[in-house]
Amino acid sequence: MRKGRFAGLSDRGQEPVTPPGLAELLLFDFAPALGEDDERAARERTRTVHLSLPLLAGSHLLWGSVLIGSLATGGAAALPVAALLATILLLDGLLWLALKRSALKPHQSMRLTAAHGFATAGLWLAAALLAGPAAESVIVKAALIAGAGAGIPVFFTVPLLMMLATTATLTVAAALPSEEPVVPIGLAIGFLLVWLCVSRSRHLLFAARQRLALEWQAEKARRFVADFEASGRGWFWETNADGALTYVSDPLAAHLGLAPAELIGRRFEDVLLLDGAEEDSDDNRRTLGFHLSARFPFAEVVVRAPAAEDVWWSLSGSPNFDDYGRFLGFRGLGTNLSEQRRSEAETSKRARYDSLTNLPNRAMMRDMLDSALANADARRRGCALMMIDLDRFKQVNDTLGHPVGDKLLKKVAARLTQVLGEDGQVGRLGGDEFEAILPGIEEEGRLSELARRLIEQVSRPYKIEGHEIRIGTSLGIAVALPGKTLAESLIKDADVALYAAKRDGRGTFRFFAQEMHALATERQLLEKDLRLALAGDQLQLLYQPIVDSVSEEVVAFEALLRWHHPVRGLLPPSLVIPLAEESGLMPRIGDWVLRTACAEAAKWPSHIRVAVNLSPLQFGDPALAATVTGTLAASKLDPERLELEINEAVFLADRSVTEATLERLRGIGVRLALDNFGTGHSGLGHLRDAPLDKIKIDQSFVRGAASRGSRNGAIVRAIVVLAESLGMDTTAEGAETIEELALIRRLGCSQVQGFIFARPMPAEEALKLATESRPSAEVVGFSRPPRHRLIRNGRLSLDGRDLPVRLRNISAGGAMIECEEQPAPGTPVSLDLEEAGNLAAEVRWSQRGQVGLHFADAFALGRLARKRRRSGAPEMLMPQYLGPQPDLPEPGAASPLAVKRRRTA
C-alpha cells in the first residue's frame, strides 16, 4: 500500500494536498521517506542538486583561480591556499561521482551533500585565514566570499543546504579584515535569500505533491480503462473540435474490422449505424446529430454495431471546453447492450420520451435544460428556451375527437423538429404544450427568425382523416446568460413571455422582459377576480342599437359584455374576453351572456332582435345547439329574434364540423351573422357554403372611408354587392361621422351601427328605446328629401348674436352646418345664406362642432342657383342638385334615433 506524507490524496483521491509546514519543509530532504510518493518527490529534488554540482565545481575553480593569481604576487601564502582549493575541487568531484553512481537513498544523498558543504566551508575559511595581509585586497576578499557562497545558487531549492551555504559565506566574510559593515549587510542579504529559498521550496514541494497525485490518479484511470475495455463491456472514444476521431479503443476498432490508426481522423457519426428499427432511427439520428453539432452532452443513444446484427451499443458523451470557452471536442463512452440491457434501455427510454410523439418528455427536458445551462457556462455562450403552446387545439379535440387530436400532435411534433433541425431539441411537456432548448444560441435576430418559421409551419393546414384542420401557435422566448440563470427562473421567464404572446393576439412570439413579471402577476389577480365576478354580480351587459340605414329605426341591439371591477372600474372587452378564454371561464360567461341577453330581449317589441357574440371556444362546444335551444325555451324568445355573431376564427377548425354546427343552429331558427368580415382568414367559399344571414363589415373599413383617396369605400361596396348576390344583409360597424353615414347609405348597406347613433347603453335605456321604435312595416313609405353636399359660408343668428358658420349639406327640410358653439336641441335660430336669404329653423341635434337644423318652412333648392351676369358674361352651369335627383337614400338633417336618444336622456 502506498504511504507518505500526502498519500491520502493519491490513494483515496478525496483529500486535497496542502502546502508543507516549515519544520516538515526543513527536514523533508534529510529524513527517510515514509512512502513511495515521498521518495519520488525527494529523488527529484536530489536529481536537481546533482545536476547543479558541475556549476558548483566550476564556481570553485573560477574563484580559486582568481584567488591564487592574486596571492601569487603577494607572498608565500599562495601555495597552501592552492592546496586547499585543490582539496575543495576534489571533494566536488567525489560528491558528483557518489551521487551519480551509488545507490544511495535520497535522504542519504542529501546528508552526504550537507557533509560536503560543511567540509568545503571549513576549507574556504582556512583559505581566508591563510591569506594573511593579502586578504585586505578587494580582489582577494571578493574571491574568498564568492567561492564560499558558490553553493547559494546551487542549493537554492533545499532550505537547509541554502542556510549552510549562507552561513559559510557570512563566516568567511567575518574572518576577513574590513572597515566596511560587510557582516550586517551580509546578514540582511542572507536572511532575504533564505526566506526566498523557503518560499520557493514550499511551492515546488507542493507542486510536486499535486503532480504526483494526479499522475497516480491518471495511472489508476488508465488501469481502469484498460480493464474495462479488456472485459468487452464497452469502449471509449474522443473527437476533436471538427468531429474527427482522435482516440479509438481497440475493441471499437475490432468491431468495425479496422485498425485503430485507420479510424483516426474519420468523423465519429460516419463510422456508426443507428438502431435498425426504422421508427426510432430518425429520432436517434436527430438526437445524436443535435448533440454533436450543438456541442451538448448526451447519454444512452442506442446505435448498432455495423459488423454485427445482434450487437447494440449505448453511447454517452460530453463536450470539452478550455478556460476561454473554446470547444475542444467530445469525449465519451460506448457500452455493449445485451438483450436484457437493451430491453432495460428501451424501458428507460420510454420513461424519458413521450409515447405519442417520441419526443423527450418533461422530465428529460428538465434534465437537458440543467445540462444545457451547465454547458452554457463552460462554453461561455447563452442558452435559449422556447415555450410553445398550440392555439385552437382544444377545439379540434372537442369537435373531432382525441384520436384525430393525437395524430395532429404527431404532425406538429414533426414540423417543430424539422424547423429546428440541429439548432435545438424539441420536447413535449403534455397536452398541447411543447418546449425547445437551443444551446449556444442567444442572438435575438436568429431566435426571431426561428420563431417566425415555427409559427408559419405550424399554422399551415393539416389533412387528417379527410378533415382539413387549421391551428396556430404562440411562443415565449427566454435567454439564459452563461452561469447566471437557474432552470426554474428560465422556465418561469419563458412562461411569462408565452402569456404575453397570447395576450397580444396569439399567433406570435415575445421575448421575455422584466416588466412582464408585473403584467403576469396582474393577470393572475385579474383571473382570480374574474372567477368571483360571476357570483359577485360584477358582469353587466350593455346594448348598442343597430338601425336601419334608411329609416334610422332600431332593428336590433348587440349585447356587449362589460366587467365593473370593484377596484379597477370598467374594464374593456379586449382585456376581459382573452382573459376568460385563457382561464377556461369563457363557456360559463358565454352561457350567462346568452341567457341574460335572451331574457332581456323577451321584454322588447317583437320586431327587435338581439345579437349575441359567440367565441370560438363556445362555437367548438358540441352541446352549443342544445344550450341555445334551452335558453330560447327558458326565455320564451322567438328563435328568429336571436342573432348569433361568429367571427372568422371558427372556420380555421375542421370545415365539415363547422358547417354541421352552423346547420344545427340554423335548424333551430336563429339568425347567423359573420362578424368583423375581412379581417381574419376566411375565404369566399365559407360565404358560399355557410348558412349565414348577415355580414358585419368591420369598422376598420368604415372609418375614414369618406376621406379623399381612401380605398375603404370601394371595399365596402364590394362587400355589399357580394352580400346582396348571396341574399344576405349587411351591417356597417363603427360609423361616427355624418360623412361616413352618408357614404354607407350611398353604398347600399342595410344597417348601421356606431356612435353616431348611440353608444352601448344599459338594459333600461335599451328597453325604452326599443319600445319607442317602429317596426319596418310602419316605415315602408318613409322618405326624406334628398340631401346635397354643398359647402357655403353663412351666418347663424342665435340669441341675438351672429355667428359665422359653414354649410355642409342641405335639403328642402333642413341642413347640417359647422359652428363653433353647440346650441341646445330645440333652440330657434335663423340661418342667413347670401343667395337664399334668412331661413327660420330649429336646432334638432348638436355634437362635435356640427349642428343639424330643421327649417320652419320647406326650402326651395333653386334659390341657391346664382343669377346670370348681365353684360355678356358666360352662363353659369346649373349645379347638380338642381337637376333630376337619383333615387338614392341620403342622410337627413335630424336623426330620429338621435332625437329619441336625446329625449330619453
Side-chain angles (χ1 to χ4, degrees):
M1 179 176 179
R2 299 169 60 87
K3 295 181 179 179
R5 291 187 177 90
F6 53 96
L9 176 65
S10 54
D11 283 345
R12 296 191 299 274
Q14 298 292 331
E15 301 176 3
V17 175
T18 57
L22 180 60
E24 180 184 2
L25 181 66
L26 295 177
L27 298 177
F28 179 80
D29 298 299
F30 299 93
L34 298 180
E36 182 181 343
D37 289 333
D38 280 359
E39 187 167 348
R40 288 181 62 192
R43 194 176 301 281
E44 289 184 0
R45 295 171 63 80
T46 303
R47 187 181 302 111
T48 302
V49 173
H50 178 255
L51 294 176
S52 301
L53 288 180
L55 174 62
L56 179 64
S59 298
H60 286 164
L61 179 61
L62 172 63
W63 297 114
S65 301
V66 173
L67 179 60
I68 295 299
S70 300
L71 294 177
T73 59
L79 185 59
V81 171
L84 294 175
L85 293 177
T87 304
I88 293 173
L89 292 175
L90 178 62
L91 292 176
D92 290 342
L94 291 175
L95 178 62
W96 183 79
L97 290 174
L99 296 181
K100 181 178 181 180
R101 297 185 177 182
S102 65
L104 297 176
K105 296 290 185 180
H107 71 282
Q108 295 172 339
S109 299
M110 283 298 186
R111 290 176 182 180
L112 181 61
T113 304
H116 169 273
F118 277 111
T120 54
L123 292 174
W124 278 105
L125 179 60
L129 295 176
L130 291 175
E136 296 181 358
S137 171
V138 175
I139 296 178
V140 173
K141 290 180 181 179
L144 288 170
I145 294 174
I152 292 177
V154 176
F155 305 137
F156 189 74
T157 59
V158 184
L160 278 181
L161 294 180
M162 178 66 180
M163 294 171 66
L164 175 62
T166 304
T167 302
T169 305
L170 292 175
T171 302
V172 172
L176 297 174
S178 176
E179 298 179 357
E180 292 79 10
V182 176
V183 175
I185 295 174
L187 283 173
I189 296 175
F191 177 78
L192 178 61
L193 290 175
V194 170
W195 179 78
L196 291 175
C197 172
V198 171
S199 299
R200 178 63 175 167
S201 298
R202 177 180 284 109
H203 173 72
L204 292 176
L205 183 56
F206 178 62
R209 289 179 172 183
Q210 286 184 314
R211 178 174 52 80
L212 290 174
L214 292 176
E215 288 180 358
W216 172 244
Q217 289 181 348
E219 179 62 27
K220 288 199 301 183
R222 282 192 292 270
R223 290 199 299 267
F224 288 147
V225 169
D227 293 342
F228 179 78
E229 293 181 342
S231 68
R233 293 190 299 270
W235 36 268
F236 294 91
W237 56 274
E238 185 181 52
T239 67
N240 59 16
D242 298 325
L245 287 166
T246 57
Y247 172 80
V248 179
S249 297
D250 291 338
L252 173 60
H255 278 301
L256 298 176
L258 298 171
E262 296 180 89
L263 294 174
I264 300 299
R266 296 180 60 179
R267 293 185 61 83
F268 180 53
E269 59 265 37
D270 293 342
V271 301
L272 300 174
L273 292 178
L274 294 176
D275 189 342
E278 184 176 353
E279 180 179 353
D280 298 333
S281 179
D282 290 341
D283 296 321
N284 286 337
R285 189 180 304 278
R286 283 193 298 266
T287 301
L288 181 62
F290 158 69
H291 286 87
L292 292 177
S293 62
R295 301 170 182 178
F296 192 67
F298 59 93
E300 298 183 13
V301 176
V302 178
V303 299
R304 190 185 67 202
E309 293 184 358
D310 297 326
V311 177
W312 286 270
W313 294 326
S314 175
L315 293 182
S316 301
S318 59
N320 301 315
F321 301 92
D322 62 13
D323 294 338
Y324 300 98
R326 292 175 296 194
F327 177 60
L328 302 179
F330 267 89
R331 184 181 297 120
L333 167 69
T335 58
N336 296 336
L337 297 179
S338 63
E339 280 300 325
Q340 178 180 357
R341 292 187 60 198
R342 186 167 184 265
S343 176
E344 293 173 353
E346 291 298 326
T347 303
S348 175
K349 178 181 178 180
R350 286 193 294 271
R352 294 180 293 112
Y353 283 81
D354 176 55
S355 59
L356 178 64
T357 62
N358 216 24
L359 294 177
N361 59 18
R362 183 186 294 271
M364 185 176 180
M365 289 298 289
R366 177 54 191 272
D367 292 340
M368 292 182 65
L369 182 59
D370 291 334
S371 300
L373 294 179
N375 178 259
D377 187 22
R379 69 193 300 183
R380 299 189 179 184
R381 292 277 296 172
C383 173
L385 179 68
M386 285 185 178
M387 286 294 180
I388 306 169
D389 189 78
L390 302 183
D391 301 331
R392 301 183 298 276
F393 175 77
K394 185 178 183 300
Q395 183 177 350
V396 176
N397 255 357
D398 293 341
T399 56
L400 300 180
H402 290 280
V404 173
D406 290 345
K407 293 181 180 180
L408 177 60
L409 287 175
K410 288 184 178 181
K411 290 182 176 291
V412 170
R415 292 188 184 182
L416 293 175
T417 304
Q418 181 181 11
V419 172
L420 290 181
E422 296 181 352
D423 288 331
Q425 178 64 55
V426 181
R428 183 187 176 209
L429 304 183
D432 59 351
E433 295 179 306
F434 293 83
E435 181 181 85
I437 301 174
L438 298 99
I441 301 180
E442 57 186 358
E443 300 84 2
E444 187 170 315
R446 187 176 177 188
L447 291 171
S448 299
E449 177 60 26
L450 284 173
R452 279 191 286 268
R453 288 170 53 198
L454 283 174
I455 294 173
E456 177 185 355
Q457 291 299 315
V458 173
S459 301
R460 287 171 42 226
Y462 299 84
K463 290 285 188 179
I464 301 176
E465 297 183 359
H467 303 285
E468 181 178 299
I469 302 174
R470 293 177 181 268
I471 60 172
T473 185
S474 302
L475 279 74
I477 308 173
V479 179
L481 298 178
K484 296 183 179 180
T485 307
L486 298 177
E488 292 84 356
S489 60
L490 186 65
I491 293 172
K492 183 178 180 181
D493 293 346
D495 274 331
V496 170
L498 175 61
Y499 283 127
K502 292 181 178 179
R503 186 178 58 250
D504 292 344
R506 301 175 180 265
T508 184
F509 65 92
R510 290 292 180 268
F511 284 92
F512 170 75
Q514 286 296 334
E515 56 269 19
M516 289 181 180
H517 275 305
L519 295 175
T521 302
E522 179 183 5
R523 177 192 173 277
Q524 292 175 353
L525 294 175
L526 281 176
E527 180 178 328
K528 180 181 178 181
D529 293 343
L530 183 57
R531 295 182 183 276
L532 302 175
L534 275 171
D537 220 14
Q538 298 174 15
L539 298 181
Q540 179 187 6
L541 286 185
L542 298 182
Y543 300 88
Q544 186 174 26
I546 302 174
V547 304
D548 185 272
S549 61
V550 176
S551 66
E552 295 187 359
E553 290 291 338
V554 176
V555 296
F557 287 91
E558 180 179 3
L560 301 173
L561 178 65
R562 295 293 185 268
W563 179 16
H564 287 272
H565 193 278
V567 176
R568 304 171 186 265
L570 185 64
L571 299 180
S574 59
L575 174 64
V576 179
I577 300 302
L579 182 64
E581 291 179 345
E582 293 174 12
S583 61
L585 295 174
M586 197 64 234
R588 290 177 54 196
I589 294 178
D591 291 347
W592 177 85
V593 170
L594 185 61
R595 292 195 310 270
T596 305
C598 289
E600 187 64 31
K603 305 175 185 178
W604 301 338
S606 59
H607 66 278
I608 303 295
R609 297 190 180 97
V610 62
V612 178
N613 289 278
L614 292 181
S615 73
L617 289 179
Q618 287 179 274
F619 191 83
D621 185 2
L624 175 61
T627 301
V628 173
T629 302
T631 302
L632 291 173
S635 62
K636 298 181 181 180
L637 183 69
D638 186 357
E640 205 276 338
R641 294 180 57 198
L642 176 60
E643 192 170 88
L644 298 178
E645 296 185 4
I646 59 175
N647 59 41
E648 298 176 344
V650 302
F651 295 107
L652 296 179
D654 181 65
R655 180 174 178 178
S656 60
V657 175
T658 300
E659 292 178 354
T661 302
L662 291 174
E663 287 293 345
R664 285 195 295 269
L665 292 174
R666 190 61 182 272
I668 297 173
V670 300
R671 289 171 56 86
L672 300 174
L674 183 59
D675 196 13
N676 302 326
F677 179 75
T679 61
H681 303 280
S682 65
L684 296 180
H686 299 306
L687 295 180
R688 177 193 62 198
D689 301 330
L692 300 173
D693 299 286
K694 180 193 291 187
I695 296 176
K696 298 192 73 173
I697 304 172
D698 189 72
Q699 59 185 357
S700 61
F701 298 118
V702 175
R703 291 177 181 173
S707 301
R708 185 183 299 273
S710 174
R711 298 184 178 181
N712 287 358
I715 296 175
V716 172
R717 180 57 183 168
I719 296 174
V720 169
V721 172
L722 176 63
E724 289 177 350
S725 302
L726 297 174
M728 301 178 188
D729 294 332
T730 51
T731 297
E733 298 180 289
E736 294 187 353
T737 66
I738 294 295
E739 289 81 5
E740 291 171 354
L741 178 59
L743 178 64
I744 289 171
R745 283 170 167 158
R746 285 198 299 271
L747 295 178
C749 288
S750 310
Q751 300 167 1
V752 185
Q753 180 181 4
F755 289 171
I756 191 173
F757 292 110
R759 293 179 177 271
M761 60 187 65
E764 296 79 9
E765 295 184 21
L767 175 60
K768 186 174 182 180
L769 187 58
T771 304
E772 295 176 354
S773 66
R774 294 177 297 167
S776 57
E778 299 179 17
V779 295
V780 172
F782 176 84
S783 176
R784 90 171 53 250
R787 303 183 61 81
H788 303 280
R789 190 177 181 120
L790 184 66
I791 298 178
R792 294 284 178 85
N793 292 325
R795 303 192 69 81
L796 185 70
S797 178
L798 174 64
D799 296 333
R801 295 176 295 141
D802 286 342
L803 303 177
V805 297
R806 180 184 294 270
L807 179 67
R808 299 296 296 183
N809 56 49
I810 191 170
S811 70
M816 194 274 282
I817 62 173
E818 293 179 350
C819 180
E820 295 181 356
E821 295 194 16
Q822 302 292 307
T827 304
V829 295
S830 176
L831 179 62
D832 183 9
L833 298 178
E834 180 181 354
E835 301 88 345
N838 290 323
L839 302 174
E842 178 183 295
V843 176
R844 287 295 180 87
W845 56 267
S846 176
Q847 60 182 6
R848 294 192 296 273
Q850 296 180 338
V851 180
L853 302 179
H854 175 68
F855 296 144
D857 301 316
F859 173 67
L861 296 178
R863 295 170 58 185
L864 290 174
R866 297 185 182 275
K867 298 179 180 179
R868 298 175 181 267
R869 296 191 179 183
R870 294 183 177 179
S871 56
E875 184 178 8
M876 180 179 177
L877 295 177
M878 180 178 293
Q880 180 183 3
Y881 57 78
L882 297 180
Q885 302 300 323
D887 188 17
L888 287 176
E890 294 291 339
S895 166
L897 178 58
V899 174
K900 293 177 183 178
R901 181 160 53 88
R902 286 167 175 76
R903 188 180 303 123
T904 57

